[in-house]
Amino acid sequence: MKKLKVVSDTQFKQRPGLSNELSRQEKVFVANGTEFDLTHLDVVRDGHLKVTLATPLGPANQTSWYVYKPDVRVYDTNIRLTVTSDTLFKQRPVLSNQLGEREKVFVPNGTDYYLQSYLPAEGQHVKVAIANAFLGPENRTVWYVYKPDIRIIGDTITLTVTSDTLFKTSPQMSSQLSNADKVFVKNTTELELVNHELAPANHVKIELAEPNFSNRSELIWYAYKPDLQIEGNEKENQPKNETPAPKPIGPYVKLPGFRGNFYLSQPIIPGGNFTWGEATHGGSRIPVDRNVVYGIIRIARVMEEVRNRLGGRPITVNSWYRDPVTNRRVGGASRSSHLRGDAVDFVAPGIHPYDVYDRLNRWWGSKGGLASATVFTHIDARGYYARWSYGF
């Protein structure tokens, strides 16, 4: 269940607007620090949220109220961080002696926080967005913390709208849809997702965790890829750390839709560094169709640039294409990009995976997914911004 925490003395109102424009009967004072359980949440005009409380509030015992968004924090209890060793939360992912006193705060062993999100960061740090507390002299919620000093349990997926957009009932141009088949969604809107996947015509298919638009019960929507950023890991996506391919099965393989032999030692990109043997796990995972082969070629081009960006050092491929049976066996997501052939889990010897993530993050941008565990980095060419940490 979502929770709402009041972070500044505020007024809960019966309609959005300035509190001095409302009568005394239309508002109720709520003090800083008060928390409520929510049953529903909507983003509405003038910077307000429409919230439905689990328990009534005010003289009229109402459950439906409007509240000014900057005065509250909304969070759920899905991701929990526990400090396992006395540590410092920092404003930058560097050694604590490189920070000023106002850039760090001591947090003792045993402290718990709920998180909105968490992502890998350089120097074996994790970037965390705290949901239920403000820390430091500037009352900040976003901090960096050294990964070995904490334990994080739980996952969630948050979609952030980065440009005013339309959510649609089908992946078509908005001009081809009736008003009943689309809903306007404002820039900066944040929504919790159950899952997301590629859709036709440069769209993403998203499944909301709960209805979020007035008078609309739909959970499945389509949205234009460039208007979205998605952070967080699917609950089912906990792949085992695979080892590099064993000794190749034979000298070559046949690939669907193509004539001739593809030698396992042959570079995928002429003159490149990554082979068909690496892509097919030594020839043991044969693509199910020619589209997977194209996916392998697409991400192979990316991996050549990744190698260059990491100083030209050799890269160890742990997992590339996975057929459906293998994907289920290793614990991959049901819609994993590995099934399309355009995803690679890899290790760059001598560089911690969190540092690999940090070096590639801005460059990769909205071209696809990027994630790290403590033992490998994942990159894929899904074509929209997706970031997560595997939590191990």
Side-chain angles (χ1 to χ4, degrees):
M1 176 177 287
K2 279 187 168 57
K3 294 181 178 289
L4 179 147
K5 183 172 183 177
V6 177
V7 296
S8 181
D9 290 349
T10 192
Q11 302 275 354
F12 279 33
K13 315 166 189 178
Q14 292 184 11
R15 53 190 173 92
L18 296 175
S19 58
N20 59 13
E21 297 174 347
L22 304 177
S23 68
R24 292 177 59 185
Q25 292 75 27
E26 292 180 295
K27 57 190 177 184
V28 60
F29 173 80
V30 182
N32 181 13
T34 306
E35 293 197 50
F36 299 94
D37 289 332
L38 301 184
T39 61
H40 192 71
L41 171 71
D42 280 320
V43 179
V44 295
R45 61 184 175 84
D46 299 328
H48 284 73
L49 299 174
K50 183 180 180 182
V51 298
T52 304
L53 309 180
T55 55
L57 175 69
N61 284 325
Q62 290 183 224
T63 57
S64 183
W65 293 92
Y66 294 88
V67 60
Y68 188 49
K69 188 175 181 180
D71 291 342
V72 297
R73 295 280 292 178
V74 176
Y75 67 98
D76 59 34
T77 59
N78 201 27
I79 308 178
R80 185 169 182 167
L81 179 152
T82 299
V83 177
T84 56
S85 179
D86 290 351
T87 193
L88 292 169
F89 280 34
K90 315 169 189 179
Q91 279 299 294
R92 291 182 284 135
V94 297
L95 295 173
S96 57
N97 60 13
Q98 298 175 341
L99 298 172
E101 289 304 312
R102 299 179 68 85
E103 293 183 290
K104 55 191 176 185
V105 60
F106 173 77
V107 182
N109 181 16
T111 303
D112 287 329
Y113 295 113
Y114 291 112
L115 303 182
Q116 294 279 19
S117 63
Y118 66 101
L119 290 173
E122 63 181 306
Q124 296 190 53
H125 288 80
V126 180
K127 182 180 181 181
V128 299
I130 300 174
N132 64 330
F134 293 90
L135 301 182
E138 276 85 32
N139 289 322
R140 298 180 185 274
T141 59
V142 177
W143 294 88
Y144 295 89
V145 59
Y146 188 51
K147 178 65 168 63
D149 292 341
I150 60 172
R151 180 177 67 250
I152 297 176
I153 298 174
D155 285 297
T156 191
I157 308 172
T158 301
L159 178 151
T160 301
V161 176
T162 58
S163 180
D164 289 352
T165 194
L166 293 169
F167 283 15
K168 314 167 188 178
T169 57
S170 61
Q172 301 180 58
M173 294 181 62
S174 57
S175 59
Q176 297 174 329
L177 299 172
S178 68
N179 289 336
D181 291 324
K182 55 192 175 186
V183 61
F184 174 78
V185 185
K186 191 175 181 179
N187 183 18
T188 73
T189 299
E190 293 185 357
L191 300 168
E192 184 180 347
L193 302 184
V194 174
N195 57 57
H196 54 98
E197 60 182 295
L198 279 170
N202 212 27
H203 285 73
V204 181
K205 181 181 179 182
I206 58 175
E207 181 180 352
L208 304 180
E210 59 184 33
N212 275 275
F213 308 109
S214 298
N215 303 319
R216 303 299 298 259
S217 61
E218 293 94 339
L219 295 177
I220 305 297
W221 294 92
Y222 294 85
Y224 186 50
K225 287 195 297 189
D227 295 339
L228 312 176
Q229 288 189 352
I230 297 174
E231 295 183 351
N233 191 25
E234 297 178 51
K235 294 179 182 179
E236 64 176 296
N237 189 26
Q238 291 292 321
K240 300 173 185 176
N241 180 32
E242 296 189 72
T243 57
K247 185 178 180 180
I249 301 173
Y252 62 85
V253 292
K254 299 280 189 179
L255 298 179
F258 294 84
R259 295 179 179 177
N261 301 325
F262 287 75
Y263 286 85
L264 298 177
S265 60
Q266 174 186 347
I268 300 168
I269 306 301
N273 298 279
F274 299 92
T275 67
W276 288 105
E278 290 173 302
T280 62
H281 209 67
S284 64
R285 301 174 185 175
I286 304 302
V288 295
D289 57 43
R290 67 184 301 148
N291 288 330
V292 171
V293 180
Y294 291 135
I296 289 172
I297 295 170
R298 183 164 57 248
I299 199 68
R301 294 192 179 99
V302 172
M303 290 303 297
E304 297 293 345
E305 188 162 358
V306 165
R307 191 177 189 274
N308 291 335
R309 287 182 172 273
L310 297 179
R313 69 185 63 208
I315 284 176
T316 300
V317 173
N318 287 5
S319 186
W320 196 317
Y321 170 64
R322 296 183 198 142
D323 58 86
V325 172
T326 298
N327 189 62
R328 287 192 296 271
R329 177 173 53 80
V330 303
S334 60
R335 293 165 297 277
S336 173
S337 296
H338 289 278
L339 295 165
R340 299 192 305 269
D342 64 355
V344 180
D345 295 345
F346 67 94
V347 175
I351 309 178
H352 191 279
Y354 283 13
D355 292 315
V356 172
Y357 176 99
D358 185 74
R359 294 190 192 186
L360 299 180
N361 184 26
R362 183 171 296 182
W363 159 72
W364 196 229
S366 60
K367 299 171 188 172
L370 186 67
S372 279
T374 56
V375 287
F376 68 85
T377 295
H378 166 102
I379 192 168
D380 66 59
R382 70 183 65 198
Y384 63 92
Y385 182 104
R387 299 290 185 272
W388 67 93
S389 171
Y390 290 104
F392 63 85

